[in-house]
Amino acid sequence: MNNLGYLLQLSAKLMKYELNKQLEQENFTAAQWAIIKHLQISEEHHAPIDQFMAVSIAHELDMDKPTISGVIKRLTEKGFVEKLAHPRDKRAFILRLTSKTREMIPSLEQLSEKTICKATSGFTSKELEDLTHYLVRVSQNLKEED
């Protein structure tokens, strides 16, 4: 039962389940929240325009094309994201958060934080710092090109 791979997978699955449960009250899913958060961070960092394209977001969030297309479609239908014509590529579009979504981000962040607090209940500050450090290293190791 103490298999690291199993525990990492189980923890991720349970956190996603809890986050979906929390976000449900705002009519969002964890996948939708991930896209919204990605767009918000990209806007704040004045990222290049291509970072606002579905293909870039899919790559960054490790989603396949059909999945990201469906999530974006639902976000657009709900009025949370706008599709704008790409200025250089007539076949592509860029995504932008609507003002409605920007207003909701603080409450979505609270729900996300509630999930994290539940998952890390009883951890010391040092343990949280260490866990974060270790998970960053795991992610970096797996993203490295062989």
Side-chain angles (χ1 to χ4, degrees):
M1 189 68 166
N2 286 330
N3 177 284
L4 180 60
Y6 172 78
L7 291 171
L8 284 169
Q9 184 274 336
L10 178 62
S11 298
K13 182 179 176 182
L14 290 171
M15 284 204 55
K16 184 176 179 181
Y17 174 79
E18 182 64 27
L19 181 59
N20 273 318
K21 206 165 66 171
Q22 293 294 328
L23 292 171
E24 187 176 43
Q25 58 192 297
E26 295 288 346
N27 199 24
F28 279 90
T29 66
Q32 290 170 339
W33 172 233
I35 291 170
I36 287 167
K37 193 64 184 169
H38 174 84
L39 290 170
Q40 179 200 24
I41 291 168
S42 295
E43 284 178 3
E44 288 173 356
H45 290 96
H46 305 288
I49 196 166
D50 291 345
Q51 290 297 308
F52 297 89
M53 294 174 59
V55 67
S56 296
I57 297 168
H59 177 74
E60 233 8 78
L61 300 178
D62 197 29
M63 292 183 180
D64 59 37
K65 184 141 174 58
T67 300
I68 194 114
S69 295
V71 176
I72 289 169
K73 180 181 180 202
R74 287 184 287 285
L75 284 170
T76 304
E77 289 169 351
K78 292 177 181 180
F80 295 126
V81 170
E82 297 175 298
K83 288 183 178 181
L84 306 170
H86 193 290
R88 295 183 308 271
D89 185 346
K90 301 230 184 284
R91 301 165 298 156
F93 58 87
I94 57 171
L95 300 171
R96 183 172 70 183
L97 297 174
T98 63
S99 57
K100 170 181 168 180
T101 307
R102 283 189 190 89
E103 291 171 11
M104 295 180 75
I105 286 175
S107 65
L108 296 172
E109 285 176 336
Q110 284 181 332
L111 296 172
S112 179
E113 188 60 31
K114 186 176 178 182
T115 299
I116 293 166
C117 286
K118 181 176 181 179
T120 59
S121 176
F123 281 55
T124 65
S125 297
K126 174 71 169 119
E127 288 172 329
L128 286 173
E129 185 180 315
D130 289 347
L131 177 61
T132 301
H133 175 75
Y134 297 142
L135 291 173
V136 166
R137 281 179 50 196
V138 167
S139 297
Q140 287 172 339
N141 288 345
L142 294 171
K143 285 184 178 181
E144 285 180 2
E145 303 278 332
D146 291 323

